[in-house]
Amino acid sequence: MNVNCLEKVVEYASMPLHGTLSRKLRKGLKIQINEGRVYEKAALFLGTDFLRVTEKEDGQTVNTYYGWEEIASIRTFSSEPEE
């Protein structure tokens, strides 16, 4: 998949995190990369060669790195607004 397209999907799914170059997922939105883990409360960093996903887990910060060329798909999940 085209790197520019993947970046646009990540930008759509997130918003800038104040005072940093990272982005946080929009409220109520989840993201899944390559049919793997579903991230719900994560910060994303769009590097030139990679996408970094940062989460807080049991008092630790966990960073997961994906090379842009290795990402085959990105899936987003959002809840339907109640009517």
Side-chain angles (χ1 to χ4, degrees):
M1 184 176 264
N2 182 306
V3 173
N4 290 330
C5 179
L6 293 170
E7 287 177 336
K8 292 295 179 197
V9 171
V10 173
E11 288 172 356
Y12 157 78
S14 61
M15 62 177 126
L17 192 57
H18 184 70
T20 71
L21 295 175
S22 295
R23 305 177 66 83
K24 67 178 181 176
L25 289 174
R26 294 186 185 279
K27 186 176 181 178
L29 197 126
K30 301 175 190 174
I31 193 168
Q32 181 182 37
I33 300 169
N34 288 343
E35 304 292 325
R37 181 176 181 160
V38 176
Y39 299 102
E40 185 172 0
K41 294 181 180 176
L44 310 170
F45 177 79
L46 288 70
T48 305
D49 298 319
F50 63 89
L51 168 65
R52 181 182 72 215
V53 181
T54 303
E55 300 175 284
K56 301 279 185 195
E57 207 173 80
D58 299 325
Q60 294 185 321
T61 300
V62 178
N63 292 302
T64 305
Y65 295 84
Y66 297 92
W68 287 116
E69 299 301 323
E70 286 76 39
I71 297 176
S73 67
I74 295 178
R75 179 183 288 178
T76 59
F77 301 84
S78 60
S79 11
E80 288 287 323
E82 294 185 26
E83 295 181 21

